[in-house]
Amino acid sequence: MLSILNIPAFNDNYIWLLEANDNHCAIIDPGNAVPVLEVLEERGLHLDAILITHHHHDHVGGVPKLKACFHDLTVYGPTTTRFPYVTHPLSNNGKFVLFNSIFTVFQVPGHTRDHIAYYADGMLFCGDTLFSGGCGRLFEGTPAQMLASLTILTLLSDNTQVYCAHEYTQANLKFALAVEPNNFLLNQYASDVNVLRTSGMSTIPSSIGKEKSINPFLRTHYASVKAGVKHRVECTSDLDTFTTLRRWKDEF
């Protein structure tokens, strides 16, 4: 099994380090090379691969410097001309083996049109698609695309650990509570998250099961969520509910 370490970057990014048991590792979404290189030196690790979920600078900004430091790097990423440094372009349901683990690729457009997520060994690395208590903004995709992408992720086992790329949980839960104030599990989770953040601790990873119980963007089929958005617009379909939620969150 791979061991996982989060490397904080910028204000709220998490760069994920996947460490094998032979001092080799991979990095997911290195927006900044400096903290990555510091951790690699501190732990005596060799960087074998980089996994990219999407093209935003806070996820790829460190790639050129890391490639300059490790000339044999494999760089996995979406199949798109916007990723000139990708050596192994990936498409939906593609698979590759890294450190004896089989990684499956999910195409999850919405935040960007070519966003992908990685799944291996009960762990989901979803970039800016799914957050704890929320989902990514729709910079390039449509509400229908993002809802479909999130639905794909909910089909994974409830025990799947969710490693998203930002520490947005506390803010997301304030919005979730505005939508579903009477959700007992949500209230309990919000209390636990407040304790963690007060202590300066991370709230990630979450899990698919937890998100299905507290994340309004995964609960658009629930009457309680539809009721929560009713004061803004009458929603009949799950897509209507999701679209209204996303617009409301953008303004929240």
Side-chain angles (χ1 to χ4, degrees):
M1 291 289 292
L2 299 170
S3 62
I4 311 299
L5 176 71
N6 76 43
I7 303 175
F10 308 117
N11 292 327
D12 49 36
N13 279 69
Y14 287 138
I15 300 169
W16 296 106
L17 183 149
L18 287 60
E19 184 177 347
N21 58 11
D22 57 357
N23 296 325
H24 287 256
C25 70
I27 291 288
I28 299 178
D29 284 351
N32 187 349
V34 174
V36 173
L37 291 171
E38 289 174 351
V39 170
L40 295 181
E41 183 177 2
E42 177 186 311
R43 299 174 73 91
L45 298 174
H46 182 273
L47 181 60
D48 289 44
I50 293 174
L51 284 64
I52 295 169
T53 62
H54 65 293
H55 74 280
H56 286 164
H57 187 73
D58 62 322
H59 293 253
V60 301
V63 175
K65 186 170 184 177
L66 291 173
K67 287 194 72 174
C69 294
F70 298 90
H71 301 293
D72 56 347
L73 265 182
T74 299
V75 183
Y76 299 95
T79 302
T80 169
T81 56
R82 297 197 287 184
F83 297 87
Y85 29 69
V86 170
T87 61
H88 287 63
L90 302 165
S91 55
N92 194 40
N93 293 320
K95 297 182 187 296
F96 61 93
V97 177
L98 182 63
F99 306 138
N100 295 318
S101 294
I102 299 174
F103 283 74
T104 300
V105 176
F106 298 110
Q107 211 158 7
V108 284
H111 182 65
T112 64
R113 64 177 181 267
D114 41 28
H115 200 301
I116 61 175
Y118 301 88
Y119 173 83
D121 297 339
M123 300 177 294
L124 173 69
F125 299 94
C126 50
D128 288 0
T129 296
L130 172 63
F131 297 123
S132 188
C135 72
R137 287 178 178 268
L138 305 181
F139 287 115
E140 297 177 0
T142 65
Q145 286 177 317
M146 181 62 99
L147 180 57
S149 295
L150 293 172
T151 300
I152 289 170
L153 300 184
T154 63
L155 298 178
L156 295 169
S157 165
D158 283 357
N159 295 325
T160 300
Q161 298 294 287
V162 177
Y163 292 89
C164 57
H166 289 275
E167 182 58 70
Y168 288 164
T169 310
Q170 197 168 35
N172 284 339
L173 295 185
K174 289 179 181 178
F175 174 73
L177 285 167
V179 179
E180 279 191 292
N182 298 318
N183 182 328
F184 174 78
L185 293 176
L186 172 58
N187 278 275
Q188 186 178 54
Y189 182 47
S191 178
D192 293 342
V193 163
N194 288 338
V195 171
L196 288 172
R197 295 308 295 154
T198 299
S199 302
M201 298 177 68
S202 172
T203 65
I204 307 302
S206 181
S207 71
I208 290 295
K210 179 178 291 182
E211 294 309 308
K212 285 162 67 173
S213 69
I214 62 91
N215 190 327
F217 294 97
L218 303 187
R219 296 171 55 80
T220 55
H221 53 295
Y222 280 82
S224 54
V225 174
K226 293 186 186 301
V229 302
K230 191 174 181 179
H231 69 287
R232 299 182 66 86
V233 63
E234 188 72 35
C235 296
T236 55
S237 70
D238 295 348
L239 179 56
D240 287 343
T241 303
F242 180 88
T243 302
T244 302
L245 278 174
R246 187 59 263 178
R247 189 179 301 121
W248 181 12
K249 179 65 167 63
D250 290 344
E251 304 164 354
F252 190 74

